[in-house]
Each structure stands twice: as structure tokens, then as C-alpha cells.
Amino acid sequence: MVVTTGTNELETSDGSTYDGRAERISFDDSKTGVKGLVDSGITKIPRMFHSGKLDLSETSLSASNIISIPIIDLQEVNKSSSLHAEVVDQIGSACRKWGFFQVMNHGVGVDVLDEMICGIRRFHEQDAEVRKTFYSRDSNKRVRYFSNGGLLRDLDQPANWRDTIAFVANPDPPNPEEIPATCRDIVAEYSKKVRALGVTILELLSEALGLDPSYLKKMDCSEALFIMGHYYPACPEPELTLGSTEHTDMDFMTILLQDQMGGLQVLHENQWINVSPVHGALIVNIGDLLQFGFKYVGRCKNCRMVHAPEKNSL
């Protein structure tokens, strides 16, 4: 049992004290993230990652294997007006009922998707001394490596078992030499492809809202592009922590590339639903800035990442 005795220190049942802030500062000072903990050979995870009692029973519910977020095929979207209208209706329905949908045949090659996942993995699995050179909490940097954006700010929230390499891809992208060599070429290629897809989806979302296709683009909704490559190392105590705790995305729209390990769940009608990986698909998540346009009910756009042995998602 742990009880709060002050702003930073906790008193345990045996009378010892635990300084949560000091633990976080020490972790941050290592500049090697969660991967550094794993590489050190730990068998018990630090207390700052403890998420309390986790009820993950919903991951095995039969309904979770039957109900799935919509999968929308974009291949035929420009072939006829009737097919185009059908896709727009599917997207509008998915946004209203779920806040999530997957897209197939979206114009980003499977080879690009696979190499992007491999490139992010290469960065996170390279020597710690190389990773350290990119570690920063300066949000003005166009390329930075870190673990948990709110680590030193949200002291009352458990840390996620996750490391991140982040890139500002638009409107002021980094110079190529600023990007780690392990993923430099693929980050540039993926950024270009996913931005073009983002413009297409914005046009379809505009139509789903009953607006001119160019409406959201004219509002500059396609101008900012921020890419995060998350890495979730194998965890020695997966029952105690989450890769990403329950959250909503504080943006306009997220396009998510999930690897084949799984672990992503979305909240739908008060039930956590597994999002099974579909090779070649991308997941679209309507963020906080767009949610009211589709009149969401409850918290249907929440998501979280439960533990799988090892996975990488973008």
C-alpha cells in the first residue's frame, strides 16, 4: 500500500519513503529511455510506471473479436461519383459511431510502411550512446528523442512504458542531416506520402461534413505534420503498466501505422475493443479539434496500448 504524504514523497506500508520526482529525474538524466532499463537487465519495473490495478479482461472478450473499427477501401474513390459518395458515407458513419477507421489502398506502398517501422526500430535499438545525442525535452527541436512527454510535469500520472523519436515534418521540416542516419531516407519518403494521404482524407472528411471538399484544407488543417515513432520494449512486468494509458489525441487528425504485434485498443460504447493489425492498412483517428463536427457520443475516440511482448507503432 502507498499513501501520499507530500508533493513528491510517498510513504509505503513499511515506513520507507519513495521520492517519485527524484526517480523520474534520474530516469530522464540517463537519456536512454525505457530501452535503457531493459538493456540493464531489470526484472522489476520502476514504480513511476505502475498504472495501478489494470483490468485487461476486456482484451479476451469474444465481442472484441467480433466488433471491429470500420475498414474503408480508397481504391475506387475516384473511379465514379457513386463509388466516391459511398466512401464519403462510410467515412462519415465511422466518424460518428467510432472516431476511428482503417483505410486500405490509400496510395502509400506497403514497402514504405514496412520500411518505416524497420527504420524506427533501427533507431531505438542502436547503441545507447548514439541515441543519447538526440535526447531532448526541448519541444522547439525539429528532431528529438525522449521518453514520456509529460514525465517531469504530470507527476500524478503513471509513466508509459514507451520511448519516442519525433520529427516536425511540415511546415518547417528538419535538414536531412538532422535526422538519424538509421531512418533518414525512409522518414523523408514516409512524410511525403502520408502528407498527400492526409490531404485526401481531409477532402473526404469535408464532404462527410456536408462541406466543399477543399474546406478543411483551406483552413490550413493540412499544414502541420508531426511524426512520432513510438517504441515499446518487452516488459518484465506487463501486468503493472501500459504502453500508452487511456487518452485522446490533442490534434485535428492522427494517421497511425500499427505494426503486426497488436496491443492497440479503442473505447467503443464503454467497452475496450482490440484493433487487430491489418498489413498495409493505416488507422485514422479523429482528434479533439475535429470531434464536435461529427457529434461524438461519450468517449468513443479514446484509445490505449496494452502490453504485447515487443512492438513498434507510429
Side-chain angles (χ1 to χ4, degrees):
M1 181 182 70
V2 176
V3 295
T4 302
T5 59
T7 304
N8 299 321
E9 291 192 349
L10 300 175
E11 182 178 330
T12 63
S13 56
D14 63 4
S16 61
T17 59
Y18 160 67
D19 190 335
R21 181 174 178 82
E23 182 179 65
R24 291 174 184 242
I25 291 174
S26 176
F27 169 78
D28 197 51
D29 286 345
S30 75
K31 301 184 186 301
T32 58
V34 172
K35 182 63 163 57
L37 295 177
V38 173
D39 290 343
S40 72
I42 65 166
T43 58
K44 299 289 184 181
I45 67 173
R47 194 175 304 184
M48 68 185 196
F49 292 101
H50 289 197
S51 295
K53 186 177 180 180
L54 299 178
D55 180 9
L56 303 181
S57 59
E58 291 149 305
T59 63
S60 62
L61 286 177
S62 59
S64 186
N65 298 319
I66 298 172
I67 303 172
S68 177
I69 68 172
I71 299 177
I72 299 173
D73 192 335
L74 300 183
Q75 187 171 29
E76 311 293 330
V77 71
N78 292 320
K79 291 193 173 180
S80 74
S81 57
S82 60
L83 290 173
H84 184 94
E86 183 178 338
V87 170
V88 170
D89 286 345
Q90 290 174 350
I91 288 177
S93 175
C95 289
R96 286 188 293 272
K97 295 178 180 179
W98 284 86
F100 293 85
F101 56 92
Q102 296 196 67
V103 289
M104 294 289 296
N105 296 311
H106 40 64
V108 186
V110 173
D111 56 336
V112 174
L113 302 181
D114 289 347
E115 176 57 18
M116 185 61 175
I117 289 176
C118 289
I120 296 302
R121 178 187 287 270
R122 286 194 299 268
F123 172 83
H124 287 286
E125 294 183 351
Q126 67 185 324
D127 186 84
E129 293 304 313
V130 179
R131 297 200 312 272
K132 281 183 178 181
T133 63
F134 294 94
Y135 198 91
S136 176
R137 294 211 170 269
D138 182 359
S139 59
N140 292 317
K141 283 184 174 291
R142 293 180 292 183
V143 178
R144 63 188 181 104
Y145 164 56
F146 59 95
S147 185
N148 286 268
L151 181 75
L152 304 179
R153 181 184 65 245
D154 304 326
L155 300 180
D156 59 337
Q157 299 297 319
N160 292 319
W161 191 257
R162 179 186 74 197
D163 297 330
T164 302
I165 176 75
F167 313 90
V168 175
N170 204 66
D172 185 24
N175 297 320
E177 59 270 19
E178 294 179 74
I179 301 174
T182 52
C183 57
R184 182 175 299 152
D185 293 341
I186 189 57
V187 166
E189 178 68 10
Y190 180 81
S191 299
K192 179 175 66 176
K193 295 288 188 180
V194 82
R195 183 164 187 264
L197 173 61
V199 171
T200 297
I201 293 176
L202 285 172
E203 291 174 349
L204 296 170
L205 288 170
S206 294
E207 292 184 78
L209 288 166
L211 304 169
D212 184 90
S214 63
Y215 187 89
L216 294 175
K217 188 174 186 297
K218 287 180 178 177
M219 291 177 61
D220 293 334
C221 293
S222 65
E223 287 306 301
L225 177 60
F226 187 61
I227 294 176
M228 292 190 291
H230 296 316
Y231 182 80
Y232 308 86
C235 181
E237 296 183 293
E239 71 280 3
L240 297 181
T241 190
L242 290 169
S244 292
T245 50
E246 177 182 338
H247 68 281
T248 64
D249 287 353
M250 296 183 293
D251 60 9
F252 191 85
M253 176 179 69
T254 299
I255 298 177
L256 172 69
L257 168 58
Q258 185 183 19
D259 70 5
Q260 299 305 297
M261 297 300 292
L264 177 67
Q265 295 184 326
V266 301
L267 189 63
H268 178 66
E269 296 181 352
N270 294 316
Q271 182 178 11
W272 286 107
I273 304 297
N274 295 327
V275 181
S276 299
V278 177
H279 192 212
L282 287 164
I283 300 168
V284 179
N285 173 12
I286 303 305
D288 294 343
L289 298 180
L290 184 59
Q291 64 166 308
F292 298 107
F294 288 102
K295 299 180 181 178
Y296 283 111
V297 177
R299 301 185 300 168
C300 59
K301 62 187 177 58
N302 280 31
C303 64
R304 68 182 183 182
M305 183 71 75
V306 300
H307 181 80
E310 187 168 354
K311 51 186 175 288
N312 308 270
S313 296
L314 301 172

